[in-house]
Amino acid sequence: MSSQVQKQVKQLDRVIIRFAGDSGDGMQLTGDRFTQESAVFGNDLVTLPNFPAEIRAPQGTLPGVSSFQVHFADHDILTAGDAPDVLVAMNPAALKANLPDLPRGASIIVDTHDFSARNLTKAGYDANPLDLLGDANDPLGDFAVHPVDLTGMTVAAVKEFGLSRKDAARAKNMFALGLLSWMYGRPTESTIAFLTKRFAKVPAIRDANITAFKAGWNFGETTETFAVSYEIKPAPVSAGTYRNISGNLALAYGLVAAGVQSGLPVFLGSYPITPASDILHELSKHKAFGVTTLQAEDEIAGVGAAIGASFAGHLGVTTTSGPGIALKSEAIGLAIMTELPLVVVDVQRGGPSTGLPTKTEQADLLQAMFGRNGEAPMPIVAPQSPGDCFDAALEAARIAVTYRTPVMLLSDGYLANGSEPWRIPEITDLPVIEPNFATERNHVVKPAATAEDGTVTEEERDFWPYLRDEETLARPWAVPGTPGLEHRIGGLEKGEGHGNISYDPANHDFMVRTRQAKVDRIAESLPPLTVDDPSGRAKVLVLGWGSTYGPIGAGVRRVRKAGYDVAQVHLRHLNPFPKDLGEILKRYDKVLVPEMNLGQLSMLLRAKYLVDAIGYNHVRGLPLKAAELAEAIGNLVAEAEGITVDLSTTNDPHTAEEISR
């Protein structure tokens, strides 16, 4: 792929590209390959895959549009970006569905081949917008539009391989990838290697895709349509080995690491559900690390098997999304009553009911807190980024094993499917998790005694499964089959200590309070919160949890860049809250809580700390937009400080995106 035409090269600090087409056009693969190329190059990046729930959505329609957005930069970034600089649209529906998100001046590369009368009608166009380019009433007049017959050139390029026209046209996504790879100076070796391996058993398809990819690159070099290419230099990073990783993959690796660091075999009992299924797929590959996976017949069987594995001395795990949590709730209550370690992964999606299976949401927080019968306290941990899913999984396992309790790990679809560069940790830096299995009888039935004649009677002991550790209030974990530690557990209320069934009112009250106290005791093991308040003068605090970390951070940077003070705190532990949260909240006049729900964390904060938490809430199935959030923060700063706030000093085509620290 040598250069044939000398073209101008412009330096950029960041770019946001969105690939969009039918759900069968290979947009997810195209975006993923561009992401991998950018990761190899060394850019910081964040991605946002967005696709329909249907396996094969209606072709050529707006609901059937699949897109993949990648934001890459020469500096630290936090989100996939509010608005694309470049849209690659493979058909009329992809153009129409994504046009409202484009800022003025954005570039559009459009495949003219599919702009037929039938496809235009399906997308709701009365006339072909490409026929009006340059006219006074051009609907695309605000954008730099590049009509390219991607399909036609692809079919011509791969003609030698004897494929049907339909199969030949399928390589158009690789032609588009080659063109964009040329435009932004992406390394191509990894994609060629990927295609060689992926289609190794079908040489004609392999060669056609590689040829289409190279043809796209060469078209960019030789055509006069694209006179400029762009360079985005690598981002400075701390020393280490990096890889691009999605949230689901990082979470799966975190569970494997938890098994290694605890010395426990990992057992996953799961039923496939979007967007959590990839965790099951990945863990099934790791038998070498002592991981057992069971694809159960339903959600209840999955969690039941995981609880059984925990009873047997494994690290029990179950993965699902919001609908599955509803089905598992009674079994989770059983794990709370039996006080067994269990990691429950909820990769949240739009609800209620089936809702929006492939879209993101944060609306399961209250379900995680209270979605069980009785007083059933359960710790909650939430990762903040795709890479952080690894650490969050380890932390959930630490709490589960140390405190003998089920733990809810709240990820979401944005984290699960999105990706970012991740620094692979050193094994020595990972926490050690101690199961501390019970190995001997712990209750004295009859103390040792010496008779008058000097005869010594040995101490008699038995095993009480509900005697508690004084520090953690955790009960002993005895693996079935350990001699002398035979015991029974179940869902009926336990007598304190001995663990036999008890209906005594005072005992029930005591056990309810003890289970709550055990969860509260977890706060003693949590590090102090990190308060990001550079000036120390901020009157407004932005408090978030989960995947809002990126948009909040980007919005806060924008406000600070304009010269105003604002503080930021992000919560990983949602039950119990960190010990210092109440004191931190009291320092600020205003507290803004952005969430992808109608104010669930705000409700919990108001109830516990009597703070006037102000919600910033959108439930659109998409991540929060940093620009809109920055405006909300600015308005609150203006109100708190009695000043006028103008954020226009940072106005740029990206509308809000990350400004370097």
Side-chain angles (χ1 to χ4, degrees):
M1 298 184 185
S2 60
S3 179
Q4 298 176 17
V5 177
Q6 193 66 32
K7 296 192 176 186
Q8 182 184 359
V9 179
K10 283 187 178 179
Q11 294 281 340
L12 298 176
D13 63 350
R14 63 190 170 197
V15 175
I16 303 168
I17 298 175
R18 182 180 295 176
F19 298 93
D22 256 336
S23 57
D25 283 341
M27 293 298 95
Q28 301 304 314
L29 175 62
T30 306
D32 182 68
R33 291 316 314 162
F34 192 93
T35 299
Q36 298 296 340
E37 292 176 359
S38 299
V40 168
F41 189 74
N43 296 124
D44 196 16
L45 59 90
V46 183
T47 66
L48 174 62
N50 190 3
F51 44 87
E54 293 77 14
I55 293 173
R56 187 65 177 91
Q59 194 169 6
T61 64
L62 296 180
V65 173
S66 172
S67 68
F68 190 107
Q69 183 165 306
V70 55
H71 179 196
F72 58 106
D74 66 3
H75 59 273
D76 169 38
I77 57 174
L78 295 172
T79 79
D82 285 357
D85 302 296
V86 180
L87 171 67
V88 180
M90 306 302 278
N91 62 15
L95 177 64
K96 188 161 190 175
N98 291 282
L99 206 57
D101 293 338
L102 299 184
R104 178 174 293 186
S107 295
I108 302 175
I109 299 172
V110 59
D111 183 4
T112 58
H113 180 271
D114 279 345
F115 275 67
S116 62
R118 185 166 180 263
N119 285 339
L120 288 164
T121 301
K122 280 185 180 180
Y125 279 112
D126 296 326
N128 188 344
L130 302 182
D131 292 341
L132 302 175
L133 293 178
D135 288 1
N137 59 343
D138 180 1
L140 304 177
D142 289 339
F143 312 107
V145 183
H146 304 281
V148 180
D149 186 6
L150 297 175
T151 301
M153 286 191 287
T154 300
V155 171
V158 304
K159 187 176 181 180
E160 63 181 286
F161 301 108
L163 300 175
S164 68
R165 180 175 176 84
K166 183 178 180 182
D167 285 342
R170 282 178 176 164
K172 65 184 177 183
N173 63 327
M174 287 299 106
F175 189 100
L177 177 60
L179 173 57
L180 270 293
S181 297
W182 170 82
M183 285 180 67
Y184 293 97
R186 304 294 88 186
T188 59
E189 295 80 10
S190 63
T191 293
I192 292 173
F194 168 82
L195 293 171
T196 301
K197 182 178 180 181
R198 176 153 182 166
F199 299 112
K201 295 182 179 179
V202 195
I205 299 294
R206 175 198 63 202
D207 295 342
N209 276 278
I210 293 173
T211 300
F213 177 65
K214 291 180 177 180
W217 176 284
N218 292 333
F219 174 71
E221 282 190 327
T222 57
T223 183
E224 295 181 2
T225 304
F226 301 98
V228 180
S229 64
Y230 303 91
E231 182 180 11
I232 299 88
K233 292 182 178 179
V237 294
S238 56
T241 303
Y242 287 79
R243 61 157 295 163
N244 189 52
I245 201 165
S246 68
N248 274 345
L249 182 57
L251 202 154
Y253 285 174
L255 292 171
V256 173
V260 172
Q261 294 302 101
S262 64
L264 297 173
V266 174
F267 179 92
L268 173 67
S270 182
Y271 181 76
I273 184 172
T274 302
S277 300
D278 285 343
I279 303 171
L280 168 62
H281 301 158
E282 183 60 34
L283 286 178
S284 69
K285 303 174 185 176
H286 296 290
K287 295 177 183 177
F289 287 102
V291 179
T292 300
T293 53
L294 168 68
Q295 181 174 319
E297 64 266 33
D298 56 40
E299 296 281 3
I300 299 171
V303 68
I307 294 170
S310 291
F311 178 57
H314 289 55
L315 176 58
V317 182
T318 190
T319 54
T320 188
S321 189
I325 294 295
L327 291 165
K328 295 178 192 285
S329 60
E330 184 183 4
I332 294 171
L334 173 64
I336 291 171
M337 178 63 86
T338 54
E339 300 188 42
L340 287 168
L342 178 71
V343 177
V344 181
V345 178
D346 177 2
V347 186
Q348 300 166 95
R349 70 190 210 187
S353 187
T354 310
L356 304 173
T358 61
K359 311 301 180 185
T360 195
E361 205 160 283
Q362 284 184 304
D364 292 352
L365 176 55
L366 294 183
Q367 180 178 217
M369 280 289 294
F370 305 119
R372 296 162 293 283
N373 65 297
E375 294 286 349
M378 186 173 181
I380 303 171
V381 175
Q384 66 186 29
S385 69
D388 189 49
C389 289
F390 177 87
D391 297 303
L394 270 169
E395 174 65 357
R398 179 194 73 86
I399 293 172
V401 171
T402 304
Y403 292 88
R404 316 294 197 236
T405 178
V407 177
M408 187 77 76
L409 179 54
L410 284 182
S411 179
D412 64 43
Y414 176 42
L415 297 181
N417 295 318
S419 63
E420 66 176 354
W422 175 62
R423 185 173 181 264
I424 300 172
E426 298 294 332
I427 301 297
T428 53
D429 294 337
L430 300 180
V432 175
I433 302 170
E434 296 288 355
N436 292 324
F437 287 120
T439 56
E440 56 187 26
R441 296 170 177 175
N442 59 358
H443 175 253
V444 177
V445 178
K446 185 177 180 181
T450 304
E452 292 181 4
D453 62 0
T455 304
V456 177
T457 306
E458 290 187 2
E459 179 182 79
E460 292 182 19
R461 284 176 167 254
D462 60 5
F463 177 65
W464 278 20
Y466 280 82
L467 279 181
R468 299 182 183 277
D469 180 275
E470 291 184 2
E471 180 182 349
T472 63
L473 298 181
R475 76 171 187 86
W477 190 7
V479 177
T482 306
L485 304 190
E486 297 85 0
H487 62 287
R488 294 171 297 170
I489 58 172
L492 291 170
E493 183 61 282
K494 307 289 177 284
E496 170 61 12
H498 56 74
N500 294 328
I501 295 169
S502 172
Y503 295 106
D504 179 70
N507 175 79
H508 178 56
D509 184 273
F510 178 81
M511 292 294 280
V512 165
R513 295 178 188 276
T514 301
R515 286 187 288 265
Q516 181 64 58
K518 181 178 73 169
V519 172
D520 294 341
R521 193 71 63 91
I522 295 166
E524 301 291 334
S525 71
L526 304 183
L529 283 168
T530 299
V531 182
D532 180 17
D533 186 358
S535 70
R537 299 187 301 268
K539 293 186 177 182
V540 172
L541 170 68
V542 186
L543 181 69
W545 69 278
S547 66
T548 56
Y549 174 77
I552 290 173
V556 164
R557 286 184 187 181
R558 179 176 171 83
V559 173
R560 288 178 184 163
K561 181 71 173 180
Y564 306 102
D565 297 316
V566 60
Q568 179 185 358
V569 169
H570 210 75
L571 296 177
R572 162 168 284 172
H573 299 90
L574 297 160
N575 190 34
F577 286 130
K579 290 194 303 180
D580 54 347
L581 179 57
E583 182 273 326
I584 291 170
L585 293 173
K586 290 177 182 176
R587 296 183 209 165
Y588 298 94
D589 295 349
K590 302 283 186 182
V591 178
L592 183 67
V593 185
E595 300 181 79
M596 292 185 292
N597 58 47
L598 295 183
Q600 297 188 13
L601 177 59
S602 296
M603 181 187 297
L604 296 176
L605 295 172
R606 284 170 169 265
K608 185 171 180 64
Y609 300 108
L610 302 181
V611 62
D612 184 19
I614 301 167
Y616 176 86
N617 308 105
H618 288 286
V619 198
R620 300 182 288 205
L622 293 168
L624 301 178
K625 289 185 178 289
E628 297 172 359
L629 181 51
E631 289 296 329
I633 297 170
N635 292 338
L636 207 55
V637 170
E639 184 180 337
E641 300 188 14
I643 59 174
T644 300
V645 170
D646 179 10
L647 302 182
S648 60
T649 55
T650 61
N651 194 25
D652 67 25
H654 297 79
T655 67
E657 246 320 318
E658 292 78 337
I659 291 122
S660 294
R661 295 184 193 277

